[in-house]
Amino acid sequence: MSKLSPLSDSEKVFVEALAGAFGGLAGAVAFYPLDTIKTRIQAAVDVEGQRRKTWTDVFNDLVENEGPWALFAGVGAKGAHSMASSFLYFLAFSSLRRRVEAHSGKKIGVAANLAIAMLAGCCNVLVTEPLDTLSTRRQICGADDDGETSGSSSRMSFFGGGAKRHGAGENGKGAVLAPPKTFADLVASAVDRVALAASEWGRLYSGVGASLLLTVNPAIQYTCFEQARRRVIGGLQRRAARKNGGAGAKKIAELSVSDAFVLGAASKAVATFITYPLVRAKVLAKAPERKDASGKRREHLRKEKSAPRAESFRGKSLPAVMRGVVETEGAAGLYKGLQAQLLKTVLAAAFSLTVKEKSFRTAMLVVLLMNRL
């Protein structure tokens, strides 16, 4: 970042956010099959004492029953979520950090860095949570399922029949809003559609409580990474100064690929282990209702019907989900899938931070080109 001098402070913040977005997108897409496998493991509910499937078992079952493309179900939503999430997070984090440092006149400490990272994470979650929910549902349901039953369109009209539904069963499933015939029907239909849209948006924010609490995860990760990064760069700078006799040493502005990868992996591993029970609870809270499809998929789902289903936790509060997991699977169930989570998140985070570290010049060129247009 030594060549960012032609840019203003606001443009430097934008460069930081843009580089973070490049890194987030690269990490999400590169390791997406692993992400799908770990989500399937987290969404599976077992009875305490029952043998749990490894990530290789889940991979084999998924490919055999649903096909290899199921590994990439929801990759579009995940890519959009990761890019938007990383951009917003680094934009908020860099802006807040620069303001605080400008006000105090010195570099912020670990505590302030952690608080700023959590605040930036909360802003990010409130904007991007629907994309996270969509990608999680697609990962659980697979490539041959839309992830939801027709129950999402089964809400009854607020006016008790002003906007009636055709084809509705006893529970209203499969119902479609009837065309309004009178002005009262038109008003009822409009209100009904607004209610349905609000309900759907509410469902897209399932598990938002866990997501807000999980802002401590990237906060821990990026705080550990930034502190370690400063120490490593400082050490490299001092070593270079000693080699040159204390004069004329070139300023080091970024980590090497290997250093960035190792620091990114270590920081993410620490954050993931601390916050994993919240990760498992969030996935279960977002679990969709799965429909029987055709062929092998139907047989696969039929075998699961006697076992506990993830959708039994759907829409429950965070304490209720965690309590249900402990009652069903034991305390160890809170850490079910930790191995797959560490494998995916550590590799993806290290790769993302490496791409981010090496994307500053590209992001700076983009900003400079935009300034000339």
Side-chain angles (χ1 to χ4, degrees):
M1 292 179 62
S2 58
K3 297 183 179 181
L4 290 184
S5 53
L7 303 177
S8 65
D9 286 343
S10 61
E11 288 171 336
K12 290 177 184 179
V13 169
F14 188 81
V15 167
E16 179 96 10
L18 193 58
F22 291 154
L25 178 62
V29 174
F31 297 96
Y32 192 76
L34 275 176
D35 193 28
T36 299
I37 292 171
K38 68 91 181 171
T39 300
R40 289 293 184 96
I41 295 174
Q42 292 167 343
V45 182
D46 303 319
V47 178
E48 186 174 5
Q50 179 182 349
R51 177 188 177 276
R52 293 173 180 171
K53 292 183 178 181
T54 64
W55 69 272
T56 53
D57 293 333
V58 173
F59 172 80
N60 292 332
D61 289 346
L62 192 151
V63 173
E64 179 182 353
N65 292 290
E66 302 176 41
W69 287 112
L71 291 168
F72 294 92
V75 67
K78 176 61 74 174
H81 170 258
S82 296
M83 193 167 188
S85 177
S86 297
F87 180 83
L88 290 173
Y89 179 85
F90 283 110
L91 184 67
F93 179 76
S94 299
S95 300
L96 291 171
R97 185 179 63 184
R98 286 179 181 275
R99 286 180 179 275
V100 172
E101 289 179 344
H103 184 266
S104 62
K106 59 181 180 180
K107 295 289 185 180
I108 61 176
V110 176
N113 210 12
L114 186 62
I116 291 173
M118 290 183 64
L119 182 58
C122 289
C123 296
N124 164 46
V125 165
L126 293 175
V127 175
T128 63
E129 186 69 9
L131 288 172
D132 186 34
T133 300
L134 288 174
S135 63
T136 300
R137 289 178 178 177
R138 293 297 297 156
Q139 287 176 325
I140 295 174
C141 293
D144 59 349
D145 199 337
D146 65 3
E148 294 293 332
T149 66
S150 56
S152 61
S153 60
S154 63
R155 277 68 172 177
M156 298 305 292
S157 172
F158 284 177
F159 286 80
K164 295 183 180 180
R165 300 168 180 270
H166 292 305
E170 188 174 332
N171 296 323
K173 292 186 176 182
V176 179
L177 289 174
K181 297 181 179 180
T182 65
F183 180 75
D185 286 343
L186 181 64
V187 173
S189 177
V191 173
D192 210 22
R193 292 177 188 276
V194 170
L196 286 170
S199 177
E200 287 302 309
W201 271 103
R203 294 171 68 184
L204 289 176
Y205 276 91
S206 297
V208 68
S211 295
L212 288 172
L213 290 176
L214 279 169
T215 55
V216 74
N217 184 294
I220 295 173
Q221 176 196 352
Y222 292 120
T223 298
C224 291
F225 181 82
E226 283 296 322
Q227 296 301 316
R229 178 178 180 272
R230 289 182 183 181
R231 290 179 181 273
V232 170
I233 288 180
L236 293 174
Q237 193 71 51
R238 288 190 295 271
R239 183 185 301 175
R242 285 196 298 268
K243 286 184 178 181
N244 293 328
K250 182 180 179 181
K251 184 177 180 181
I252 299 175
E254 61 183 31
L255 297 173
S256 66
V257 173
S258 58
D259 288 339
F261 191 90
V262 171
L263 292 183
S267 60
K268 189 60 178 180
V270 172
T272 298
F273 183 80
I274 293 173
T275 61
Y276 186 75
L278 293 173
V279 175
R280 175 93 202 278
K282 184 183 80 166
V283 171
L284 290 172
K286 292 178 180 293
E289 299 173 20
R290 298 172 64 182
K291 293 195 281 187
D292 287 355
S294 58
K296 293 182 179 179
R297 176 70 167 153
R298 177 180 291 132
E299 293 298 323
H300 179 55
L301 291 177
R302 188 176 295 128
K303 294 176 183 178
E304 296 179 346
K305 286 187 176 179
S306 58
R309 301 293 294 273
E311 51 261 41
S312 62
F313 296 97
R314 177 192 178 102
K316 290 186 177 180
S317 65
L318 181 61
V321 172
M322 298 180 76
R323 185 169 57 251
V325 170
V326 173
E327 292 173 352
T328 306
E329 302 179 324
L334 293 173
Y335 280 89
K336 179 184 176 183
L338 176 61
Q339 181 182 12
Q341 179 81 16
L342 283 172
L343 180 63
K344 180 266 170 182
T345 55
V346 169
L347 290 176
F351 185 70
S352 297
L353 288 171
T354 302
V355 173
K356 172 183 176 290
E357 192 71 16
K358 294 300 179 181
S359 296
F360 281 115
R361 287 185 175 85
T362 301
M364 185 186 69
L365 289 175
V366 171
V367 174
L368 290 175
L369 288 174
M370 291 174 62
N371 288 340
R372 293 184 179 183
L373 293 179

